[in-house]
Amino acid sequence: MDLVVFENNKTYVIDEFREGRFDYIELASDVAETRFFQFLFDQGLVERLAEHYPSPRKRHHVPMWMYLSSQLSMRLHGMHSFHSYPWIIRSGGLVDALSPEVAKRRTDADGNITLECEGFNDRNLYPRQTPCDQDYLRKLARDTSADELERWYNEQAAVLFADLGAYGGDGLFIADGTYLFVPDNQRYEGSQRLLFDEHNHPVSKKQEKALTAAQRDRCQWRRFYKVVLLMHCDEAGERFVVVGIRVLRVGESEATALWPLVDTFVTKLPGVMKVLLLDRGFINGPQMGRLKQDHGIDTIIPVRSDMDILEDVRGLSKLDSTQWESYEPEHRPSLPPLKTSDGKSRTTHPVAEKRERQRQATLASQRAAAEQEATPDPAKVREETLVARFGELTSWSDCPVPLTGVYTRDLFADGHETDWLLVATSPSWTARRVRDLYGLRTDIEERHRQVKCFWDLTRFHSTAWNLIVSQTVFVCLTYSLLQLHLLHQGHEELNRRTWPTSRRLLPDGERVIVYRQQCFGFFTLLEHTELTLSLEGKARRRALAQTRRLRQESSPGSPPPASPPPTSP
């Protein structure tokens, strides 16, 4: 048997293609989504979720696993309108993961691709183009109770993640709230409207009075929902799995919404949660003490500036016995360079490289000019951070367990300083350990930005409360399952990147493969189109002749192509 070996040599293929020389071209279909669903189907995950889904229907003409798969597929594509489902199912990879009895693609003699679906009952009078109708998806999502849907996610998804090995031995969990912005339409059920600054932080009436005219012009009124998330993370920052979610109506409080989420998780998976990192908006001494006494869960939280325990620590810090140590946070290493599926560094387009060089030169000149024209404001230059540990604090009367306080002083160049206090229910942690653990909360903002890439509700125009909650729940489910899929595939480092980048770097993806003399290269559709349109003169005529030969060989009975337009020599 003869063995023919092909080498992945994109540079050589490009050089030859620019001269109009290539041997063959084929399209590698997008299988990133297909492999994701194959992972879900092989593990039986979709069926397990469908078994407990709180469906409002007594009869199901379409199985629940198909409904869940369709929802996940739409979230992967970042689409929110159910009317986009027909073209998503036709162009995405879900169809290739389904059995031929459910859906299959056919290619006719002219190369046209059609999708044939049998459906799931005998009521279809005409051939189907999709496994189920978009109206079915929309109506089922609208009729599903929001409360029951959240309960389904908080109970069933959390257990499912455990079976996939989602929870590390460190047992770190983070609770935080975020905003979901929607179009400024008062018909959005349960939404509220506030003034936000340019960084999307709410502005109170007192803060608004203190703003300058320029700052006020950058503020805008926005309509939104609040969401409380309970997430599991690891110290390496490679895993952020959403295990609890609660979308809040206007008037509902984040502080009271969190603790039922924690109780649900602890009941379903006892012993998994060991450390809970909170923001000061969730301050609740009795609940922190209960978690420590009943479940052995330690909590870390910053206290408010008006709390007595802060004043007590300030007094203790003036004692000669106080031991101060300098603290500098340890930042995680930056993301490694982008790699292709064969492990090589991903090449950057020459135009992009030129633009980046120009940008860096501009930034360098601006920094140099700023250093020459003005000196830094001493009030903003932090020279040192000092931390001190104080154990067995009992002055917080609402908390039934003694606390360990980590008092932080930030010293600035002009002589002033700021201070703040972290408290933890663990009696053994050092000051550095408490600060390092709480530093994981800085990743929350980045994770919120990534998840919001999925759930940009400003493009979701349904105002029904059930649909808003459904959209948010399935975004969290898709986001978490995708991370676990990457973890099982050995690509956990991609969890720190955005989904479009992760999809591009996976060893899959829609590619045009160009062959030339036992060499081949992978190209995106845009790369191949750019190369083709750049051909001129003799190279263009040579490429056109080869394309016609390949077409005649693949479809002998097809009519001859039309005469090409005249070209310049």
Side-chain angles (χ1 to χ4, degrees):
M1 180 180 297
D2 295 333
L3 177 65
V4 181
V5 179
F6 288 84
E7 177 189 359
N8 188 348
N9 192 337
K10 186 174 181 179
T11 302
Y12 172 76
V13 173
I14 290 177
D15 292 339
E16 288 290 291
F17 192 88
R18 285 173 175 166
E19 297 297 326
R21 300 186 180 94
F22 63 92
D23 298 329
Y24 191 71
I25 295 179
E26 67 177 352
L27 181 66
S29 61
D30 188 351
V31 296
E33 183 183 357
T34 300
R35 292 193 177 182
F36 172 69
F37 280 106
Q38 287 174 343
F39 164 75
L40 299 183
F41 294 151
D42 292 343
Q43 299 282 341
L45 304 180
V46 181
E47 290 81 359
R48 289 176 55 186
L49 290 172
E51 181 181 356
H52 301 280
Y53 185 82
S55 173
R57 304 283 189 263
K58 294 183 178 180
R59 297 178 59 189
H60 293 92
H61 298 294
V62 177
M64 287 307 307
W65 65 263
M66 188 67 234
Y67 168 76
L68 297 180
S69 301
S70 300
Q71 284 273 24
L72 294 175
S73 181
M74 292 180 63
R75 304 304 151 236
L76 282 176
H77 287 267
M79 301 304 299
H80 312 303
S81 172
F82 290 101
H83 290 289
S84 63
Y85 177 70
W87 70 262
I88 286 178
I89 199 68
R90 290 174 61 87
S91 61
L94 173 58
V95 170
D96 297 321
L98 299 173
S99 63
E101 292 77 14
V102 177
K104 54 188 175 183
R105 290 190 177 95
R106 290 188 180 276
T107 305
D108 59 19
D110 296 329
N112 298 320
I113 300 177
T114 58
L115 185 65
E116 294 183 2
C117 303
E118 296 294 335
F120 299 96
N121 53 58
D122 299 327
R123 302 172 62 183
N124 299 318
L125 302 179
Y126 301 98
R128 297 189 59 89
Q129 294 295 312
T130 58
C132 59
D133 192 75
Q134 65 266 25
D135 282 340
Y136 160 77
L137 300 177
R138 177 182 57 82
K139 292 177 181 178
L140 184 55
R142 182 196 60 194
D143 296 341
T144 301
S145 168
D147 293 338
E148 293 182 5
L149 184 64
E150 289 178 342
R151 186 181 305 111
W152 167 76
Y153 182 90
N154 298 336
E155 294 179 358
Q156 303 304 324
V159 175
L160 186 74
F161 298 156
D163 295 340
L164 292 174
Y167 307 123
D170 44 17
L172 291 176
F173 286 79
I174 300 177
D176 201 38
T178 186
Y179 299 101
L180 300 184
F181 296 107
V182 296
D184 192 7
N185 182 347
Q186 62 182 356
R187 295 187 177 182
Y188 278 92
E189 298 181 31
S191 65
Q192 51 187 315
R193 189 170 179 265
L194 285 177
L195 183 67
F196 286 82
D197 62 17
E198 56 185 325
H199 304 295
N200 288 332
H201 296 151
V203 179
S204 65
K205 292 183 178 180
K206 182 179 180 180
Q207 293 171 331
E208 183 180 0
K209 293 180 181 179
L211 296 177
T212 64
Q215 292 173 331
R216 181 62 181 82
D217 290 341
R218 291 193 292 270
C219 298
Q220 58 177 325
W221 288 90
R222 304 192 68 177
R223 187 168 297 277
F224 67 96
Y225 293 95
K226 285 184 179 181
V227 178
V228 176
L229 300 177
L230 179 63
M231 293 179 286
H232 167 68
C233 67
D234 57 6
E235 293 195 44
E238 306 292 357
R239 194 182 318 173
F240 275 74
V241 180
V242 181
V243 301
I245 182 173
R246 174 72 191 283
V247 185
L248 304 180
R249 289 178 179 267
V250 59
E252 293 183 327
S253 171
E254 298 176 348
T256 57
L258 168 65
W259 304 106
L261 296 181
V262 176
D263 290 339
T264 298
F265 184 86
V266 171
T267 301
K268 288 292 182 179
L269 296 166
V272 174
M273 183 184 297
K274 299 177 182 178
V275 181
L276 180 60
L277 308 177
L278 300 177
D279 183 70
R280 59 172 51 93
F282 297 106
I283 286 180
N284 192 316
Q287 293 286 0
M288 293 167 54
R290 181 180 63 85
L291 289 182
K292 178 65 174 179
Q293 294 173 333
D294 297 346
H295 306 289
I297 300 173
D298 287 307
T299 306
I300 301 177
I301 191 171
V303 303
R304 294 192 302 266
S305 59
D306 59 349
M307 295 182 66
D308 293 337
I309 190 173
L310 176 57
E311 291 299 325
D312 294 340
V313 170
R314 284 172 176 166
L316 293 173
S317 67
K318 297 178 181 179
L319 299 176
D320 295 337
S321 59
T322 301
Q323 298 181 357
W324 296 96
E325 60 177 303
S326 180
Y327 176 79
E328 191 67 30
E330 295 183 3
H331 298 287
R332 288 186 303 156
S334 59
L335 291 169
L338 302 183
K339 300 287 186 179
T340 58
S341 60
D342 57 1
K344 298 181 181 180
S345 297
R346 180 172 175 267
T347 57
T348 307
H349 195 281
V351 176
E353 290 182 349
K354 180 179 179 181
R355 291 173 179 171
E356 179 62 20
R357 289 194 299 268
Q358 293 175 343
R359 189 179 74 88
Q360 292 297 335
T362 302
L363 292 176
S365 61
Q366 290 176 349
R367 286 193 294 265
E371 292 176 357
Q372 294 178 357
E373 296 178 0
T375 58
D377 185 359
K380 298 181 180 179
V381 178
R382 181 173 59 85
E383 292 187 332
E384 189 179 14
T385 296
L386 298 176
V387 295
R389 179 184 181 276
F390 300 90
E392 297 295 323
L393 299 177
T394 58
S395 55
W396 188 355
S397 58
D398 287 343
C399 186
V401 297
L403 299 171
T404 298
V406 177
Y407 184 54
T408 300
R409 295 168 54 202
D410 292 318
L411 310 180
F412 292 84
D414 65 344
H416 89 281
E417 64 179 64
T418 60
D419 64 338
W420 57 292
L421 177 66
L422 277 172
V423 294
T425 56
S426 172
S428 59
W429 286 339
T430 64
R432 181 170 296 276
R433 175 63 173 168
V434 174
R435 282 295 309 266
D436 288 344
L437 284 175
Y438 191 73
L440 291 173
R441 288 203 69 261
T442 59
D443 287 332
I444 285 295
E445 295 302 323
E446 174 60 28
R447 290 294 163 164
H448 284 172
R449 282 191 288 269
Q450 288 202 31
V451 178
K452 284 178 181 178
C453 289
F454 284 95
W455 67 22
D456 181 13
L457 296 184
T458 56
R459 296 184 290 119
F460 186 69
H461 299 289
S462 176
T463 60
W465 170 253
N466 286 351
L467 287 176
I468 294 292
V469 175
S470 175
Q471 166 78 357
T472 309
V473 165
F474 278 104
V475 163
C476 292
L477 180 61
T478 306
Y479 179 73
S480 300
L481 288 175
L482 175 62
Q483 291 196 73
L484 296 177
H485 168 59
L486 294 175
L487 184 66
H488 279 254
Q489 295 294 318
H491 297 289
E492 59 272 8
E493 74 281 356
L494 296 184
N495 284 333
R496 293 172 60 187
R497 301 189 186 274
T498 60
W499 161 237
T501 303
S502 301
R503 186 185 180 98
R504 189 171 64 251
L505 296 178
L506 284 172
D508 320 305
E510 190 173 64
R511 294 292 185 267
V512 176
I513 308 178
V514 181
Y515 296 89
R516 174 62 177 167
Q517 294 181 347
Q518 275 64 62
C519 292
F520 68 92
F522 290 99
F523 299 85
T524 66
L525 291 177
L526 291 178
E527 285 178 329
H528 180 258
T529 302
E530 180 184 11
L531 283 173
T532 303
L533 295 179
S534 300
L535 297 179
E536 296 180 355
K538 186 176 181 180
R540 181 177 182 273
R541 292 192 294 271
R542 184 184 292 124
L544 178 60
Q546 175 67 358
T547 302
R548 287 176 170 174
R549 282 194 295 270
L550 293 175
R551 181 188 175 191
Q552 289 294 322
E553 292 173 2
S554 61
S555 302
S558 60
S563 300
T567 58
S568 57

